[in-house]
């Protein structure tokens, strides 16, 4: 791929945690980044300022990922501001945990809307707009294989992400666009650590042969690979979990 202008990336959920690490890494790789957020403009602006301070180019934009009109406007902004879209990384999602027998169906519906419908909406727009040589990267979870108790509804929503990832890769035949998903294992983000006893954190850290939790930068490393040099990896779910399973 030879382009005279920087490649342009949209990172959903780019205001914190893994999304912020991804946005900063892609900017460090030389991409111009549109940092998407849903409800926290201050944190999104912190991500933008960190990228700019490091010499990169970024702006923030809000959208409800499950609203097709707002997502279309997000892509419009990237095209109008930067000339097009080359990479879409969809990290935005929610995780609500409960044993299946005690599941609040309202929580199931919330995760369905954000994690499944949201991925469909973002992927649909990406499939229509990403330029040749581009990459679409969804976010799954290693819990689809690890099968931890209380994660049934969340893992089910991410199982849907796996399915649409593999199928979209095949539907984009001839477009020179890769479609993959990254499936993190336990990762030391504030969201993950919140409310967990240290014994639980220690147990999850011990699950990997590398004997530690992942970091947001570990996950961003995998995204950077898929977004850039990994042109022959396509239609895959890449488990970035330190070898848990």
């Amino acid at each position: 791929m030879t382009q005279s202008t920087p490649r342009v990336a949209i990172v959903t959920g780019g205001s914190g945690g893994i999304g912020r690490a991804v946005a900063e890494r892609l900017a460090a790789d030389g991409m111009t980044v549109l940092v998407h957020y849903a409800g926290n403009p201050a944190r999104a602006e912190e991500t933008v300022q960190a990228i700019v301070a490091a010499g990169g180019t970024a702006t923030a934009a809000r959208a409800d990922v499950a609203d097709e009109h707002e997502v279309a406007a997000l892509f419009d902004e990237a095209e109008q501001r930067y000339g097009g879209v080359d990479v879409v990384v969809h990290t935005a999602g929610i995780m609500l945990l409960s044993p299946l027998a005690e599941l609040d169906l309202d929580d199931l519906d919330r995760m369905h809307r954000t994690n499944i419908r949201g991925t469909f909406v973002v992927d649909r727009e990406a499939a229509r707009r990403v330029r040749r040589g581009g990459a679409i990267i969804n976010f799954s979870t290693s819990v689809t294989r690890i099968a931890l108790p209380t994660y049934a509804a969340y893992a089910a929503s991410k199982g849907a992400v796996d399915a649409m990832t593999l199928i979209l890769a095949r539907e984009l035949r001839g477009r020179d666009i890769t479609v993959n998903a990254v499936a993190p294992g336990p990762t030391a983000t504030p969201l993950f650590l919140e409310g967990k006893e240290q014994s639980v954190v220690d147990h999850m850290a011990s699950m990997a042969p590398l004997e530690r939790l992942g970091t947001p930068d570990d996950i961003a490393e995998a995204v950077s690979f898929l977004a850039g040099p990994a042109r022959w990896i396509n239609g895959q779910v890449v488990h970035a979990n330190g070898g848990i399973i």
Side-chain angles (χ1 to χ4, degrees), residues 5-151:
T5 56
R7 299 173 81 212
V8 178
I10 295 175
V11 179
T12 71
S15 61
I18 290 172
R20 175 170 176 166
V22 167
E24 292 185 6
R25 175 56 189 264
L26 295 184
D29 290 344
M31 298 187 199
T32 295
V33 182
L34 185 62
V35 177
H36 157 271
Y37 67 94
N40 197 323
R43 285 174 60 193
E45 192 56 35
E46 287 176 8
T47 304
V48 168
Q49 291 305 317
I51 290 171
V52 171
T57 302
T59 50
R62 186 204 166 277
D64 173 356
V65 293
D67 185 308
E68 63 271 32
H69 304 295
E70 293 189 13
V71 170
L74 181 72
F75 278 75
D76 286 344
E77 179 160 348
E79 291 179 342
Q80 291 162 10
R81 186 180 290 267
Y82 301 122
V85 179
D86 301 288
V87 173
V88 175
V89 185
H90 182 49
T91 79
I94 59 173
M95 180 173 66
L96 305 170
L97 304 181
S98 166
L100 192 150
E102 301 166 17
L103 179 65
D104 183 331
L105 293 179
D106 287 341
D107 286 349
L108 178 65
D109 290 343
R110 285 177 60 198
M111 282 192 287
H112 186 287
R113 184 179 189 277
T114 298
N115 297 355
I116 301 179
R117 179 186 169 92
T119 303
F120 264 106
V121 169
V122 171
D123 279 9
R124 187 177 73 160
E125 210 61 41
R128 294 171 175 177
R129 308 237 204 165
V130 168
R131 296 184 285 204
R132 292 188 68 84
I136 300 169
I137 302 164
N138 290 324
F139 260 68
S140 180
T141 175
S142 288
V143 180
T144 55
R145 286 163 52 173
I146 301 170
L148 294 173
T150 74
Y151 282 79

